[in-house]
Structures are given as C-alpha cells and as structure tokens.
Amino acid sequence: AQSVSQHNHHVILSEAASLELGCNYSYGGTVNLFWYVQYPGQHLQLLLKYFSGDPLVKGIKGFEAEFIKSKFSFNLRKPSVQWSDTAEYFCASPPGETGGYQKVTFGTGTKLQVIP
Amino acid sequence: DGGITQSPKYLFRKEGQNVTLSCEQNLNHDAMYWYRQDPGQGLRLIYYSQIVNDFQKGDIAEGYSVSREKKESFPLTVTSAQKNPTAFYLCASSIRTGRFHEQYFGPGTRLTVT
C-alpha cells in the first residue's frame, strides 16, 4: 500500500522567500501523488497532480512539485511566496484502480505562515 | 454553480446523542467520501461509496454509519459509540481522471461534542 508522510508541520516564511515542503511516499507499485491546499476558511482544493511522465509538475498559483523516484519524494516548491499563500498543504495519494478507493491517504499536513 | 454542500458549518451536541451530518453534491459524481480532519493527523477516511446503495468502511469507520440512497447525497451519522467525535468532518466526491479519481471537497462541518 502506498502511504505519504510530511515532516514539516509548521513553516514560517517572510514574503518573497522560497518555499519547499517535503513529502515522502512509500513504494506501492504505480506512484500517483497529489498536493492539496486548504486556505483559511476555504475548501480543500487541488494544487497539482502527478500520474506519470514529466517528473516536474506545474500547478496553480505558481506552485510546482518534482517527483524524484530515487528519493521517494514529491516536494512542493514555489520560488517566491506571498502572504496569500498562508494555508495548510497536504500531500496525498489519490484513489484509483490500482490502489483502490480504500488506499487513498493524506499526509499530516504542513501549515505555512507567510509574514508580510 | 456545481459543488458540494455540507451543513451545518458548526454543530454542537451533548455526549451520548447521535448526530447526522449532511453532504449533498450536484456534480453528478458517482463516488463520495467522508473524512475526519484532526490537528496534526491530516485527513483520515471514514467511509466511501462508489455507487448508490453501496458503501465501504475506510480506516476509521468505528462509531460511524452512512447511507447512500441517492447519488447526490451521502449523510454521515456520528453515533454515541464514537469515542472521540469532536473533529472537523469533510465530505468529498470524485470524478474519474484517466485511471484515477480527482476529488472535490465540501467546506466541512465542525462538530463539537460536550
């Protein structure tokens, strides 16, 4: 079964700083990974997704993530954060055919606080 | 507007009472899910349903029950058997994207049991 883990629970950055949030996965066959974001008071929404192909995935709002198979990682990055990026970020393995619906897993989340 | 509706946003109950959380979607999605979100623990799957009149237990189903009588609706009952019911509950539905399912989430219901 594929599981994901996030080691940074709370990150504080100043505006314009670069961001990298860690996500590691345990191998379980075909690897498929998502990043979700939860802005304060808003719905959880999909930031980006990796199914196969190019390991560098571009998402919304200038975010990107790189799938590195040798490191079992799918870290989320943004070159320059803004105050509006303050949110909680979740790495997840999606439900699907190979994993089965019951295999969907979320990381514990990373709270990002951006200071103006 | 298409989306997922959860009501109410905040819910308060006394210990020992059952409570039902509503989840409705007008996205025409087949699959629906219930998650529980606790600080520092991420989202944990309670129940999921792939089609009407069928549902499966997730990782933490004990103390919860669901029904799926209509495609649009997937209510969750938190029973008195749930030992620690105070939490933020999220409902989701999904659409197939290739071989996998992209999930869409509702705004959540924060349940407080005293």
Side-chain angles (χ1 to χ4, degrees), chain A residues 17-106:
Chain A
S18 65
L19 169 72
E20 181 160 4
L21 301 182
C23 172
N24 289 97
Y25 66 91
S26 64
Y27 181 74
T30 304
V31 179
N32 301 278
L33 295 160
F34 288 177
W35 272 100
Y36 282 89
V37 60
Q38 189 174 34
Y39 296 104
Q42 292 190 29
H43 299 201
L44 205 68
Q45 56 185 285
L46 186 66
L47 205 52
L48 49 79
K49 57 192 175 187
Y50 171 77
F51 286 148
S52 63
D54 190 342
L56 185 61
V57 180
K58 303 283 187 183
I60 60 171
K61 305 187 180 187
F63 286 91
E64 65 178 30
E66 186 173 11
F67 173 67
I68 302 179
K69 191 173 180 180
S70 60
K71 295 185 179 180
F72 297 93
S73 70
F74 187 58
N75 292 355
L76 181 70
R77 302 194 297 239
K78 187 171 184 179
S80 176
V81 294
Q82 301 171 316
W83 177 78
S84 58
D85 293 324
T86 294
E88 190 161 15
Y89 294 82
F90 294 92
C91 184
S93 121
E97 282 184 21
T98 55
Y101 288 83
Q102 70 278 16
K103 295 291 193 292
V104 58
T105 56
F106 282 79

